[in-house]
Amino acid sequence: MAAFLYRLGRSAFRRRWTVALVWAAVLAAVGLAGMTAPEAEEEPFAMPGIESQEAFDLMEERFPGAAADGATARVVFVSANGEKVTATENKEAVEAAIAELGDGTQVASTVDPYESGAVSEDGSTAYTTVTYKVDAAGLTDASRSHLDESLEHARDSGLTVEAGGDALEDVGGPSGTAEAIGVSVAALVLLITFGSLAAAGLPLLTALIGVGMSLFAITALAGPLGLADTTSTVAIMLGLAVGIDYALFIVSRYREERANGRTAQEAVALATGTAGSAVVFAGLTVVIALAGLSVVGIPMLTEMGLGAAGAVVVGVLIALTLVPAFLGFWPNAILTRKARRARRAGGTPRETRKVNGGARWASFVLRRPLPVLLAAVAGLGALALPMTDLQLGMPGDEAKSTNTTQRRAYDALAEGFGPGFNGPLTVVVDAKDADDPKAAAETVSERIGGTEGVVSVSPAQFNESGDTAVFSVVPTTAPTGQETKDLVNTIRGDRPGIESEAGATFEVTGTTAMNIDVSEKVQSALVPYLLVVVGLAVILLLVVFRSILVPLKAAAGFLLSVLASLGAVVVVFQQGHGADLLGVETTGPIMSLMPIFLVGIVFGLAMDYEVFLVSRMREAYVHGERPDQAVTSGFRHSARVVVAAALIMIAVFSGFIGDSDAMIKMIGFGLASAVLLDAFVVRMAIVPAVLALLGERAWWLPKWLDRILPRVDVEGESLTRPDEPEAEAAEKDLARA
């Protein structure tokens, strides 16, 4: 591996114009495909293998056209000063507002609340549903403006008027603010780390090229594959973070080799052969973790995981080819001013053996490994404790700010009609084999209506064939409440007896039931996913480090950091501690998809730091240093760069905390906190402490296993041992160059 990458880096350096032009051509081709691709249609959320999805599919089959995906707006009218919306003046104002709402060019229908019974028992609240001919993405600015103006005119009558529904959702693309924040902070960190504008700018430039290429590719494929907007957002997030980091490690190793007196070409070749090997295997662990999300069986997660994995692959390829080519264009501009002055004066300063902050920290840990280990584990364990209170769900309008009309509409409906009104259950009765379909549907309705926790059941509506009925069930509790989940489980648990009595089958669906089913599926898939991904990564690290204990230590450290980061997410987004600082005004259940996606990304990134840091320790150990010396050497060479890489990732992820999408906000916070904990607690404290306690045993590998494992030479041992055939070939190639 090291010898192959050595030759690849040297070739990219020598043929830099060819490499740069090839990447420019690829970027232009992918960019053209992305810009000319037809606009992707928004695919409805689907979740195969759960009851609520099966019921929804049955509704679409038996009620063709009735389950159209047209946008809706639910407009709520609340009377003031104890008046009733049924009073003559208020009723006229409501009817006038409904008439104005119905005048929109894209409006399909509106419902009169006085005819449909959409008035609360105390007469204080009424609502109407405005249905559009197109989905939310197809609504024109004129339609949205018409809706806003109609609401304002209705408020002029003295009524409190609020609206919710997907017609009010912002369907615009990402603003780019998060990316701008991340790039700005990354630039500052790189400048401080390298002390050179060129060295700071190179990782940023190559990362932006990779992100642009990935974004164009996803845009081109969005239509044919039906990719969601979150796919590109996550690809940008990860592509930017790993793209900067991977280039950072190549550039850092290049500068180190130049400081040791190497020529520019030789330094590029050695940097690509050593640091590039670590980049390859670090990238592989990230790809395994992200692509492994497909085993969960959730289409949205699969899309996000594969899209982000593609961005990581692009980042690795750019780090191994385009970065060495760019180093060929600016071989000395990358160096520090001190190094450039020394070279002009004919000197070759050697800086790699000096005692720096990384070496001093390693020495501190090596002197007291047990206290450091216990303190780090105790701290992460304390942060992980809130995980025991984790509640999964899919928050809706109730999670929005009280400054939004959607949240105020939600609260008004809950106050006027009860908390369960915002999350009704939908029951689909399949009476195709029943002798009397209407009687069967009535039996199911009566039995469910008599269940404790049910407020009301709507009249059943049949399809044209008369063999399928649908009715709504309003719970007494809020959509995200545990009581509502218990009610759904109770109804489904009573199903055998109800179906036997009715002679027909039924299924429960609706947004609330869908959220419950998704949460349960994610929870059940988490352990198998961890076994697959962690198992594959441990095998990969076993090959890389040729050690039994180092991969197991890496996996254990990951579990600590991911549990602690999830605990931090629960503290902020569920329990509300410090939520105001992040602009989170309302707390509630954690997004169902968020934990498993966070686990996948964090595992990949955690293994990144493990490979980068421990590979330098392994390199020093293979080259003859004692285990404790190897730990110090690894920190002396890599600690500063790992810290810089972590700070860059934290900056990139933190930028997404300001995103309006609740899931992206949670992922941004979760990733930022996970990288913080993993890089600065697990990799900087737990790793050296464990290696110090293990000593020689850390690098133990049974002889029989050593014989069957492939040798990948991540540490570049073959490049410094002339008795190796690969090293001889590399030296001959270098001599000819």
Side-chain angles (χ1 to χ4, degrees):
M1 171 67 75
F4 168 75
L5 293 177
Y6 177 98
R7 291 191 290 270
L8 177 64
R10 188 201 59 235
S11 297
F13 182 95
R14 294 178 60 189
R15 298 173 176 83
R16 45 192 172 272
W17 280 108
T18 302
V19 172
L21 290 174
V22 168
W23 275 108
V26 173
L27 179 60
V30 176
L32 181 63
M35 289 186 290
T36 58
E39 187 174 350
E41 295 183 4
E42 188 73 20
E43 292 289 328
F45 180 80
M47 187 68 61
I50 58 176
E51 178 178 327
S52 50
Q53 183 65 52
E54 294 171 356
F56 182 79
D57 294 341
L58 179 62
M59 286 176 60
E60 288 205 319
E61 176 188 342
R62 302 286 177 87
F63 294 83
D69 58 353
T72 60
R74 189 152 63 172
V75 181
V76 186
F77 305 92
V78 182
S79 58
N81 303 321
E83 298 178 358
K84 297 184 181 298
V85 291
T86 52
T88 303
E89 185 177 347
N90 289 335
K91 184 176 181 180
E92 290 176 353
V94 171
E95 290 176 339
I98 293 172
E100 185 177 356
L101 287 166
D103 285 340
T105 56
Q106 292 184 302
V107 174
S109 64
T110 56
V111 179
D112 189 325
Y114 303 103
E115 294 180 1
S116 63
V119 179
S120 62
E121 289 185 6
D122 61 4
S124 65
T125 309
Y127 72 90
T128 183
T129 301
V130 182
T131 305
Y132 291 86
K133 300 173 185 176
V134 296
D135 60 15
L139 285 177
T140 63
D141 291 339
S143 293
R144 295 180 185 276
S145 297
H146 176 265
L147 175 60
D148 292 337
E149 290 171 2
S150 300
L151 297 179
E152 287 299 327
H153 294 161
R155 292 181 181 119
D156 292 340
S157 66
L159 293 171
T160 298
V161 184
E162 307 295 350
D166 59 354
L168 285 84
E169 295 295 333
D170 181 12
V171 294
S175 64
T177 303
E179 293 87 338
I181 294 173
V183 170
S184 300
V185 177
L188 179 62
V189 172
L190 288 169
L191 187 59
I192 294 173
T193 301
F194 286 133
S196 163
L197 284 174
L202 179 55
L204 287 175
L205 175 61
T206 54
L208 290 174
I209 291 172
V211 166
M213 192 171 297
S214 302
L215 186 58
F216 281 131
I218 291 173
T219 303
L221 296 173
L225 301 182
L227 303 180
D229 289 340
T230 49
T231 303
S232 59
T233 303
V234 175
I236 292 172
M237 184 190 298
L238 277 181
L240 190 60
V242 302
I244 294 174
D245 280 4
Y246 293 166
L248 168 66
F249 281 99
I250 299 288
V251 172
S252 177
R253 187 60 183 257
Y254 168 79
R255 283 161 53 109
E256 181 182 323
E257 296 299 338
R258 289 296 303 275
N260 281 331
R262 311 281 188 182
T263 64
Q265 180 173 281
E266 186 182 2
V268 165
L270 287 171
T272 310
T274 52
S277 297
V279 166
V280 168
F281 284 96
L284 276 176
T285 58
V286 180
V287 170
I288 287 173
L290 292 170
L293 289 168
S294 58
V295 305
V296 179
I298 299 175
M300 182 180 178
L301 274 182
T302 301
E303 293 172 7
M304 294 167 69
L306 292 179
V312 172
V313 171
V314 171
V316 171
L317 293 176
I318 285 179
L320 297 178
T321 57
L322 191 58
V323 170
F326 280 170
L327 288 173
F329 288 119
W330 304 287
N332 294 324
I334 301 298
L335 305 179
T336 63
R337 290 182 179 179
K338 180 180 178 181
R340 291 198 298 271
R341 285 196 300 267
R343 288 195 169 276
R344 284 194 296 267
T348 54
R350 296 176 178 269
E351 303 176 353
T352 57
R353 286 290 175 182
K354 71 177 182 180
V355 178
N356 55 20
R360 285 192 291 270
W361 171 252
S363 299
F364 171 82
V365 176
L366 290 173
R367 288 195 300 270
R368 47 186 69 79
L370 191 58
V372 170
L373 177 62
L374 293 177
V377 171
L380 292 177
L383 281 175
L385 278 178
M387 261 288 294
T388 57
D389 189 38
L390 176 66
Q391 297 176 7
L392 297 181
M394 295 291 284
D397 287 346
E398 78 278 5
K400 290 184 168 62
S401 167
T402 52
N403 295 325
T404 62
T405 186
Q406 295 99 314
R407 170 61 188 277
R408 293 194 296 267
Y410 179 96
D411 292 341
L413 287 170
E415 185 175 349
F417 296 89
F421 186 81
N422 283 296
L425 308 175
T426 301
V427 177
V428 186
V429 181
D430 185 358
K432 194 172 185 178
D433 298 327
D435 297 331
D436 186 348
K438 290 188 176 181
E442 185 177 347
T443 299
V444 174
S445 177
E446 289 178 354
R447 287 289 304 273
I448 292 178
T451 304
E452 184 179 355
V454 173
V455 174
S456 63
V457 176
S458 69
Q461 296 186 355
F462 283 83
N463 61 346
E464 290 185 5
S465 302
D467 59 5
T468 308
V470 175
F471 60 87
S472 296
V473 178
V474 178
T476 58
T477 51
T480 57
Q482 179 62 37
E483 298 86 350
T484 304
K485 179 179 179 180
D486 294 339
L487 173 63
V488 172
N489 292 334
T490 298
I491 293 174
R492 289 172 173 171
D494 294 340
R495 184 179 2 236
I498 298 175
E499 290 181 342
S500 176
E501 181 180 345
T505 62
F506 73 88
E507 292 174 317
V508 182
T509 186
T511 303
T512 300
M514 176 72 79
N515 293 341
I516 293 171
D517 291 347
V518 170
S519 299
E520 291 181 350
K521 181 168 184 175
V522 169
Q523 286 178 313
S524 64
L526 186 56
V527 172
Y529 169 71
L530 278 173
L531 291 176
V532 171
V533 174
V534 174
L536 289 174
V538 166
I539 293 173
L540 183 64
L541 293 179
L542 184 67
V543 173
V544 172
F545 295 126
R546 310 195 71 77
S547 162
I548 294 288
L549 297 179
V550 169
L552 295 177
K553 168 197 62 66
F558 152 73
L559 290 175
L560 279 172
S561 60
V562 77
L563 289 176
S565 63
L566 283 173
V569 170
V570 170
V571 167
V572 175
F573 289 90
Q574 184 176 307
Q575 298 176 351
H577 303 294
D580 292 342
L581 299 176
L582 301 180
V584 181
E585 296 188 12
T586 305
T587 59
I590 304 303
M591 285 281 191
S592 299
L593 303 182
M594 190 265 181
I596 198 165
F597 188 70
L598 180 67
V599 166
I601 297 178
V602 172
F603 181 77
L605 299 182
M607 295 305 103
D608 262 11
Y609 297 122
E610 180 75 11
V611 171
F612 287 132
L613 186 61
V614 180
S615 63
R616 290 306 299 263
M617 300 178 190
R618 169 75 181 172
E619 181 179 341
Y621 179 75
V622 167
H623 292 161
E625 293 189 10
R626 297 193 313 272
D628 57 336
Q629 291 176 324
V631 171
T632 303
S633 294
F635 269 80
R636 181 174 61 249
H637 292 302
S638 298
R640 186 181 183 190
V641 181
V642 168
V643 167
L647 291 175
I648 289 169
M649 281 201 178
I650 292 169
V652 171
F653 295 146
S654 296
F656 288 86
I657 296 175
D659 197 283
S660 59
D661 186 284
M663 183 171 182
I664 297 299
K665 182 188 288 285
M666 282 189 188
I667 289 177
F669 174 80
L671 288 176
S673 59
V675 170
L676 176 69
L677 296 172
D678 192 87
F680 292 100
V681 180
V682 175
R683 308 305 152 189
M684 291 292 169
I686 293 179
V687 166
V690 171
L691 291 178
L693 292 172
L694 291 176
E696 291 279 357
R697 290 169 295 179
W699 308 109
W700 172 77
L701 185 70
K703 292 184 178 180
W704 63 268
L705 188 56
D706 183 58
R707 287 193 297 268
I708 63 176
L709 285 178
R711 293 188 176 275
V712 294
D713 190 21
V714 174
E715 61 278 352
E717 182 182 6
S718 62
L719 301 181
T720 57
R721 288 171 53 182
D723 57 314
E724 295 282 348
E726 284 188 324
E728 291 178 3
E731 291 295 332
K732 289 178 181 178
D733 288 341
L734 184 59
R736 286 197 297 269

